Every structure is written in structure tokens, then in C-alpha cells.
Amino acid sequence: MADWVVEARDLQKVYGGVEPLEVLHDVNLQVAPGEFTAVVGQSGSGKSTLLNLIGALDRPTAGTIAVDGARLDQLTDDELAALRNTRIGFIFQYHHLLDDFTCLENALMPLYIRGTPTPADEARVRGLLARVGLGGRLDHRPNALSGGEQQRTAVVRALAVQPKLVLADEPTGNLDTHSGNDVFALMREMNRASGVAFILVTHDERLAAAAERELRIEDGHLVEVRRAG
Amino acid sequence: MRFEVRLALRHLLAGGWQTVLIVAGVAMAVTLVIFISGLIFGLQRRIVTTIIGTIPQVTISPPEPTPRVLAPPGAPLVATVEPRAIQRTTIDQWQLVTDAVSRLPHVSAASPEVDGQAIITRGSKELGVPVIGADPDGRNLITHLTDHLIVGHYLGLGMDEVVISYQQAQDLSVWLHDRVSLTASTGQIQVFRIGGIVDTGGFQSTSTPIYITLRAAQALFGEGTDVTNISLTLDDSFQANAVADQVAAIFGVKTDSWMRNNPQVLSAFRAQSATAFLISAFSLVAAGFAIASVLIVSVLKRSREIGILKAMGARGQQVLLTFTLEGLGIAIVGAIVGVFGGCGLILLFRAIPQPTRFPGQTPDALLPGIIDPRAIGLAMLAAIFITVVASALPARQAARLDPVEVIRG
């Protein structure tokens, strides 16, 4: 097992164009297994960019990233897709559930992409959905679920493949305070129960304060704000 | 079930009316292709059976005598070569030739005959007509006279019986069992009874042949036991030229084929076939464009979904396959519906009768379309091919979507 779930060294990300824009500069980050990290910063500070780089959705201009010991720059597109499918879970600001599939099918989607889920997989996902209070909503389509329910389904979907790391980009940003707190509490609970590391991007200082560790992006640099223990 | 199949199926089912419309588009194109080609090839078959089916496809006659020049080769000579007037001659060794020709590829029947011209008379009415004297069993394989009989019989025709056309019977005011006399060009006169009346579709009394037995014709035209020509029918009408050339080369006889005698029919066939092909091609291509545009809209509509799937680890190949499968699903269902539509239309139009020419005639279909399994197979394959090609562009577009772009939006 790798020492770090995420290990980023000297990351730089520049967006091209007539006037190149350097979003991230000299970013170094190590995330331990099971750690719950919050990343805060102003809008446009590069929080989501960092998350996309760690999530292998985008490539850095310079620097290296390793996720669960795998160096992303050394992997092909297909290998990156496989890594995203097996070791990383994503939760987005908008739930991004597929409208034509039921709540259960949506939660199983990463497993469908990999192949046919085993009965054990399906039982586990059903169990997770029951635990987040969606046991009676399995056959509902996303448009029949409330915002909170949709985001809870997305949390279960991120955990369906038993990843090493969950990347959450403003998961509560689109919810009312009550539902937002619910979803945050659920992520903390899942983090503690399953030992999966979370990186949560938010601009909600209150939620960030409730995380084990808090980082801030300022002028393209990543600064450690606080670390528990 | 594979992820790509599951996703493609769900997209099609969720598409609702949009899916129904696009499937209907493919179905209509396939219907049109099957109906138009069935109709045009059916019309051609009717022409073949009604016009060509009643005449021999290849006719063997004695070689034309070539005039000989009475001078040694190379001798200085001023001369005009004039072909001799054609004389009635007969085919040497006709039994052997008939046997040998029957065994050639594509020849399905050979009928030795004595043909000539005669005047058929009833009271004061008379008509000059071609006479075909042949064994009814053999000749019927070529002319299919029994299919066109209105009354009487042709098979088992007696030595003193003649089969004439309905128009001739009208012109001579005769009917079954009435007596007529035939005056041959040799001056020989014989009396015959009407054994049968046929309708072969011809309206000209004087160009439609009458039929007697071979023995009767040999006696009428004074040919002894000889024959004047051998008629052939083929298993494939369009091999007539090849067979005619082959027979002429082997046996040193003169041959004629229906294709050389009716070039205008052949060119009409070619024009019809080209029309059928063009209409089919245009409708399939139009369907292809419709499918491509609907799928492009579908990809745009689902770009968020595609991005999220790629973020969750779906590979570009999987996305490509999903949208190609959608196209394939549309094509297969559309093609099957189209086959039923096309065959249904052909059967429907075949059931509409034409007005009959005389009482008791079995009416012909107004549009005699045929259901040709080869045409159906080709139409389905072409539709499926075009649909898959049409879905390739939107599928590639989907596979290349950058998840970051989509999720950020």
C-alpha cells in the first residue's frame, strides 16, 4: 500500500491563449489514506483545477501527481480511465445523475462501466443507499428525488467502487443549508466508516472548519491552514 | 448486459417520440426501396412473360446460303456480289441438333418446328397468318400456351386441330369445334377444327401465329419429315445472346435471339433498373442524413451525461460504441419495419385488379410487384450500413468530449 493516497510535486497549471494564465504554481500536496481534507479559496482561485488534476481529468503543465502510488503522467488515456473507475470517486456540485436511470442504477453506474456488477457489489450499494435513507427510493428516477436525495445518491455512487479517494467539488454548493449539512455529515460518516480519503473543495468556511485538515489556495499557491492531530 | 448495450438501449427507450420518428425514417426508406425495386422488377418480369415468354428466346434456322464467286482467289475481277434470295430450306440432322442443343447450359427446352405462312379461311372471311407446327408438349414449354387458353386444349392437339387467338376467332366469327381451312403458300389446302382459343395479349390478328401439330405442318408445307427451325427457351432469358452465339458456332446454323430482335425492350429494362437504383440510393442517403442529424442533436443533449460517464472511467471507445449501437439499433428495427411495409405495399397493390379484356379472363394485377428476397436483403444491408456510417460522426464527436469542459458548465 502506498504511503500517500495523493502525492503531488511542484504542480504548475497554465491555461494557454493570447495571455497565458498561471492558475497553480509550485503546488505540493500529500494526502494520507483515510484523511478528510478541505480545500478553500476564492472563486477562480484554482480549487477545481487542482481537483481535476488529481482526478486525472486534466494534465498539469509541469510537476507530477501520483494517486494510490500510480504516476498519472506515466499512464495512457485508457489506463487513466481505469484508474478513475477503480480508485477515485467523484462528487460534483450538480449531482450529475443520469436522467434515464433509476437511483439504484445511477449508484451502480461506475460498476456498470467496469462490467456487470456482482450480486455482492449490488447488495453493498443497496446497503449504502439504505444507510443514507434512500432504501425506499431505489426505483425512482433523479427527477423524482429532492436535491438532497440526488446528492446523497451521488455520494453513494462515488463510494460504489470502494475507491481509495473521493474528490468532492462543492458538493453542497447547490443545496439549502439543511440538506448541505446532511450531505457533509454523510461524507464524514462514510469517511470514518470506510477509511476512504476525501478531498473536499468548498468555499463554505464552516464546512472547512469541520474537516480534519484545511488547505487554502492563494495566488496559485497551496497553503496549509490547519491540520488535526 | 454490457454497459454500452445497456446505455444505448436506455437512450433509445428514453428517446420516446424522437426514437419512433427516426426509426420511421429508416423504415420509410427501406419500404420505398423494396416497393420501388419490387414494382420495377415485377413489371419487367411481366413484360418478359407476356411478350418474351410467348416467343422463343433463341431460334435456330438453316444457314443462309452464301453466293460463291466463280473465279480463283486473287484473279482480277470486276463483280457485284448479290446474296441469293432466301430459299426455304430445312435443318440437316435436326433430331441430332435438337438433342445436342437441349444439353447445352441454360437451355431448358428445345422444340423442332415447321413454320410458314398460310391463309386461314372461314366462309368469306380470311386472314393471312404465321403458322407454327410443333409438338404441343415441347412447344408449350416455350410459349406456355396452356396458360393463355380461354377454351379448348393445346396439349394432345389432333392432326386436324388448330389453336387460334381470341382476336382471330372474333375476326373470323368462329368458336371452338368450328371448321376453318388453311391455304399454305405452296397452294396446299387442308381443313382444321378449332381445338383451342388463346389470349396471348396480341391484338394484331395477322401477326399472331396459329398453332398446329408438327406432322400437320410438315404435310401442309410439303416438308416431308424435315423441320424449318428449332425454338429454344432458356432458364435465364438474358443469356439469349450467349446461347445463340454458342449454337451458331457449334452447329454452323443461323440463330436469332430475342435480345437482338428487341433492343428497345432491353434498353427500357436498363432505364427502369437505373431508375430503381437511383430512387433507392437517394432515399437511403436522405435517411442517412436524417439519422446523422438526429444523433448529433442527441449527442449535444447528452454531452453532460457523456462527460460524467467519462469522469467515472468510461473510455472513449465505450462512448463511441454506445452511440454506434444506438445507430445500429435504429437501423435494425427500421429495416425490419421497412421490410414489412415494403412487402405489405407490394401485396396491397398486387390485389388491385386491372379491367379484363374479355369475359371470364383472369384479371391481371394493376401493379405486378414482386417480393425478391435478394432485394430485401440488399435494402436491409444498405440501410444498416448507411445508418451506422451516419452515426459514426456523432459517435466520434461524443467520444472526444472533454469531461472537464462539460462538468465545469
Side-chain angles (χ1 to χ4, degrees):
Chain A
M1 186 174 159
D3 295 336
W4 306 107
V5 175
V6 177
E7 188 171 19
R9 285 181 188 281
D10 307 325
L11 277 191
Q12 188 199 16
K13 181 67 184 176
V14 180
Y15 285 110
V18 187
E19 288 177 51
L21 177 68
E22 189 174 24
V23 180
L24 295 176
H25 182 73
D26 267 347
V27 168
N28 287 282
L29 171 67
Q30 289 169 326
V31 176
E35 200 168 38
F36 196 105
T37 306
V39 180
V40 293
Q42 290 180 333
S43 291
S45 60
K47 306 188 294 291
S48 295
T49 301
L50 178 64
L51 220 54
N52 289 338
L53 292 178
I54 296 170
L57 292 172
D58 202 356
R59 290 183 187 267
T61 310
T64 60
I65 305 169
V67 172
D68 197 26
R71 278 272 298 270
L72 301 188
D73 54 315
Q74 292 167 351
L75 300 181
T76 64
D77 283 351
D78 281 358
E79 286 167 337
L80 288 177
L83 179 109
R84 286 198 298 270
N85 184 246
T86 53
R87 297 192 230 176
I88 305 176
F90 290 91
I91 305 168
F92 305 96
Q93 178 172 3
Y94 304 99
H95 59 82
H96 284 321
L97 299 177
L98 307 194
D99 297 334
D100 303 326
F101 290 82
T102 63
C103 166
L104 176 63
E105 287 170 328
N106 264 295
L108 285 167
M109 196 53 69
L111 292 162
Y112 286 142
I113 291 172
R114 194 188 295 179
T116 308
T118 62
D121 283 333
E122 196 174 324
R124 187 166 43 76
V125 171
R126 280 174 183 274
L128 283 172
L129 286 168
R131 227 166 94 197
V132 303
L134 291 169
R137 315 284 268 161
L138 298 184
D139 294 327
H140 287 64
R141 297 283 168 103
N143 56 18
L145 302 175
S146 71
E149 286 172 328
Q150 289 170 341
Q151 202 58 306
R152 277 184 273 156
T153 307
V155 172
V156 173
R157 179 177 67 182
L159 293 166
V161 294
Q162 296 179 291
K164 293 284 163 56
L165 172 69
V166 170
L167 300 174
D169 191 356
E170 306 269 12
T172 60
N174 208 32
L175 299 176
D176 59 66
T177 314
H178 179 70
S179 300
N181 289 343
D182 249 15
V183 168
F184 181 80
L186 175 67
M187 289 192 295
R188 279 301 270 150
E189 183 194 336
M190 293 291 170
N191 162 248
R192 289 199 184 98
S194 59
V196 54
F198 272 71
I199 299 179
L200 166 74
V201 161
T202 181
H203 51 242
D204 186 334
E205 301 283 353
R206 199 175 44 82
L207 290 184
E212 265 178 86
R213 181 184 179 192
E214 188 180 344
L215 303 168
R216 178 179 299 277
I217 297 183
E218 277 174 354
D219 302 327
H221 295 276
L222 189 66
V223 185
E224 186 99 34
V225 177
R226 172 182 59 77
R227 190 166 201 169
Chain B
M1 196 192 301
R2 282 186 65 132
F3 161 71
E4 297 89 338
V5 179
R6 183 188 296 268
L7 198 61
L9 240 139
R10 196 60 66 95
H11 283 175
L12 289 178
L13 292 177
W17 280 109
Q18 185 177 310
T19 304
V20 171
L21 279 178
I22 190 169
V23 166
V26 177
M28 263 188 262
V30 172
T31 298
L32 199 64
V33 170
I34 291 175
F35 179 62
I36 294 287
S37 61
L39 201 62
I40 285 183
F41 294 119
L43 282 169
Q44 289 188 358
R45 182 179 288 183
R46 176 187 274 183
I47 293 168
V48 169
T49 51
T50 53
I51 298 177
I52 295 142
T54 56
I55 58 170
Q57 287 155 0
V58 175
T59 311
I60 303 172
S61 41
E64 278 182 24
T66 327
R68 276 191 301 182
V69 177
L70 300 173
L77 183 72
V78 178
T80 326
V81 178
E82 287 183 6
R84 236 166 45 181
I86 297 171
Q87 294 179 343
R88 172 171 286 282
T89 47
T90 53
I91 297 174
D92 285 338
Q93 306 283 330
W94 63 266
Q95 288 96 339
L96 290 178
V97 175
T98 307
D99 279 354
V101 167
S102 311
R103 283 194 290 274
L104 289 177
H106 296 300
V107 176
S108 53
S111 165
E113 299 168 355
V114 168
D115 292 356
Q117 283 286 332
I119 294 168
I120 182 167
T121 316
R122 165 74 173 185
S124 61
K125 294 181 175 172
E126 56 180 39
L127 291 170
V129 288
V131 180
I132 293 174
D135 168 38
D137 288 323
R139 179 70 197 195
N140 195 52
L141 295 173
I142 291 165
T143 316
H144 310 291
L145 274 191
T146 46
D147 295 345
H148 304 283
L149 271 173
I150 301 168
V151 286
H153 62 115
Y154 179 55
L155 299 181
L157 197 70
M159 270 282 286
D160 62 340
E161 286 185 310
V162 60
V163 171
I164 64 172
S165 75
Y166 177 76
Q167 196 60 42
Q168 289 160 341
Q170 294 277 298
D171 291 351
L172 294 168
S173 308
V174 292
W175 199 245
L176 200 63
H177 307 312
D178 286 348
R179 285 176 187 281
V180 291
S181 63
L182 287 186
T183 310
S185 43
T186 54
Q188 179 86 19
I189 302 176
Q190 274 183 27
V191 174
F192 290 83
R193 279 188 300 118
I194 306 291
I197 296 173
V198 291
D199 169 46
T200 51
F203 286 96
Q204 285 282 345
S205 285
T206 51
S207 60
T208 312
I210 64 169
Y211 297 86
I212 58 178
T213 62
L214 180 61
R215 284 293 305 128
Q218 284 169 334
L220 183 66
F221 294 107
E223 297 289 4
T225 55
D226 290 329
V227 303
T228 57
N229 48 281
I230 301 168
S231 294
L232 306 182
T233 194
L234 311 178
D235 56 12
D236 176 358
S237 307
F238 293 94
Q239 295 295 327
N241 284 350
V243 172
D245 292 344
Q246 191 185 12
V247 170
I250 298 175
F251 301 102
V253 288
K254 178 173 176 282
T255 54
D256 265 329
S257 84
W258 74 268
M259 291 165 79
R260 293 203 177 108
N261 293 341
N262 300 279
Q264 71 287 3
V265 174
L266 273 185
S267 88
F269 280 3
R270 277 192 212 105
Q272 284 181 339
S273 302
T275 311
F277 177 78
L278 280 178
I279 294 175
S280 303
F282 279 129
S283 49
L284 284 173
V285 168
F289 277 110
I291 290 155
S293 55
V294 172
L295 283 180
I296 285 170
V297 172
S298 165
V299 166
L300 287 177
K301 222 173 68 180
R302 296 186 183 280
S303 52
R304 184 183 65 94
E305 172 182 322
I306 296 161
I308 203 79
L309 286 170
K310 289 183 87 171
M312 287 192 294
R315 284 172 285 117
Q317 283 293 330
Q318 288 180 297
V319 176
L320 186 76
L321 186 59
T322 300
F323 281 87
T324 308
L325 282 174
E326 271 185 59
L328 194 65
I330 289 166
I332 290 174
V333 176
I336 291 171
V337 174
V339 167
F340 281 102
C343 293
L345 268 187
I346 288 177
L347 292 177
L348 183 74
F349 279 96
R350 239 170 30 189
I352 300 174
Q354 278 192 16
T356 52
R357 287 197 301 278
F358 54 83
Q361 185 200 19
T362 314
D364 283 330
L366 184 62
L367 295 174
I370 51 170
I371 293 174
D372 178 2
R374 271 181 318 175
I376 291 173
L378 272 176
M380 288 182 79
L381 279 181
I384 290 169
F385 175 74
I386 293 221
T387 312
V388 171
V389 168
S391 63
L393 182 74
R396 279 164 60 95
Q397 183 192 350
R400 284 182 182 163
L401 269 179
D402 181 0
V404 176
E405 299 283 328
V406 181
I407 294 163
R408 191 180 294 151

